Amino acid sequence: GSLPTIIGILTSLRVLRLGENSIGGTIPSEVGLLTNLETLIIDGTAVEGQIPEEIGSIKALKDLILEDNSLTGTLPELPTSLERLYLTGDDLVGKIFHKIKNLRNLRFIRFSRFYSNSGSVNPLIFHHFPNLEELKLDHVTIDPSPFPMIPVINGGLNSTSKLRLLYFAFSEITGSIPIEIGALHSSLKILSLTLDVGKNGEIPSSIGSLTKLENLVLSGDWRGNIPSDFGKLTELNYLALRGGIGGTIPTELGELSLLKDTDLSDNRLTGSIPPELCTLAQLTSFEYDSCDEKRSIKISANCLPNSC
């Protein structure tokens, strides 16, 4: 079936959710008559065609989630009341990211599968969102390709930022993580970066300033060592550092008393596993590469074995 045009008579409707079903057709323009609608979710359906421009007239709309459908065309002007915007690109075209720069109330942004046909992301646009709490870019073309964190931070994501989650995955980002990332120390709880940072990519020790971090994932083509300042991340419960890191495991990781899971695989680590890690009562899984062999260790009363 499809979404009927008669839906426009439901003017008191506040939430409309169509997810994970076989509904098809197009989004009727009559959806713009739902003046009290606060949440619109169309997720995982066969809905196709253009996003109606009438959505821009729903002044009460706070949450717009349009993911994993078959939508085409351009993104219309959206209501400035939006606080949450989740979009899957695929067949959308045009300068999509220029359409959202006036949405200053946005708190949650999640974009996936935005390639060159739908316009690349210029990181400068994120200067416009002072209330941003979560930013997730998954398979998104970044323009320019060097790591966008510097303009993002200098543009407003600083020590007074509300940003709690920063997630970039397979988004054609190159270059090093800037040391300025430490400015997010007052808010950031989840940092997950899956990148191709090239041969000049070192993990900055300033990440050790992000003392509210609970989850840290850095996956790429790193060089250098694990910074000893990571021992300051005392709220951390999940740590994954993957991709070419050398040197030894710093003894300071033994200060992470809340750490439960650690993945140090696909690196070039040397030396022994520090005995300080034996004191981590919460640690249940520790994975690392040693002598070209991946080992997944379940922590018990015995200490961790040494590497080669």
Side-chain angles (χ1 to χ4, degrees), residues 251-266:
T251 59
E252 287 80 1
L253 295 188
E255 300 295 324
L256 307 182
S257 60
L258 300 181
L259 195 62
K260 296 180 180 179
D261 296 286
T262 302
D263 183 357
L264 302 179
S265 58
D266 299 320

Side-chain angles (χ1 to χ4, degrees), residues 18 31 70 147 149 170 195 236 256:
L18 304 171
V31 74
S70 298
F147 200 90
M149 184 63 63
F170 305 107
L195 313 171
L236 207 62
L256 307 182

Side-chain angles (χ1 to χ4, degrees), residues 3 22 59 87 89 91 117 134 138 141 152 158 161 165 169 190 205 210 229 289 292 301 303 305:
L3 194 61
S22 59
K59 304 303 182 185
L87 293 175
D91 295 320
N117 63 318
E134 296 185 5
D138 191 350
T141 300
V152 169
N158 49 38
S161 172
L165 181 150
I190 299 175
S205 60
L210 304 175
D229 283 351
D289 290 342
D292 299 321
C303 190

Side-chain angles (χ1 to χ4, degrees), residues 110-164:
R110 185 166 75 197
F111 294 148
S112 61
R113 299 201 299 274
F114 276 87
Y115 304 112
S116 56
N117 63 318
S118 53
S120 57
V121 180
N122 187 320
L124 295 175
I125 68 168
F126 297 111
H127 295 183
H128 298 273
F129 311 126
N131 298 312
L132 197 60
E133 296 181 30
E134 296 185 5
L135 173 59
K136 184 173 183 179
L137 304 180
D138 191 350
H139 288 82
V140 174
T141 300
I142 302 292
D143 180 24
S145 60
F147 200 90
M149 184 63 63
I150 291 178
V152 169
I153 291 174
N154 291 344
L157 299 184
N158 49 38
S159 59
T160 61
S161 172
K162 301 176 182 178
L163 194 69
R164 296 184 294 108

Side-chain angles (χ1 to χ4, degrees), residues 42-44 64-69 71 75 85-93 96-97 100 108-121 126 135-142 167-172:
I42 303 177
D43 178 19
L64 178 60
I65 299 176
L66 302 174
E67 294 186 304
D68 299 319
N69 303 297
L71 297 170
L75 187 70
L85 180 60
Y86 293 173
L87 293 175
T88 300
D90 290 333
D91 295 320
L92 294 176
V93 298
I96 289 174
F97 298 97
I100 71 169
F108 308 97
I109 297 176
R110 185 166 75 197
F111 294 148
S112 61
R113 299 201 299 274
F114 276 87
Y115 304 112
S116 56
N117 63 318
S118 53
S120 57
V121 180
F126 297 111
L135 173 59
K136 184 173 183 179
L137 304 180
D138 191 350
H139 288 82
V140 174
T141 300
I142 302 292
Y167 177 101
F168 293 161
F170 305 107
S171 294
E172 300 183 19

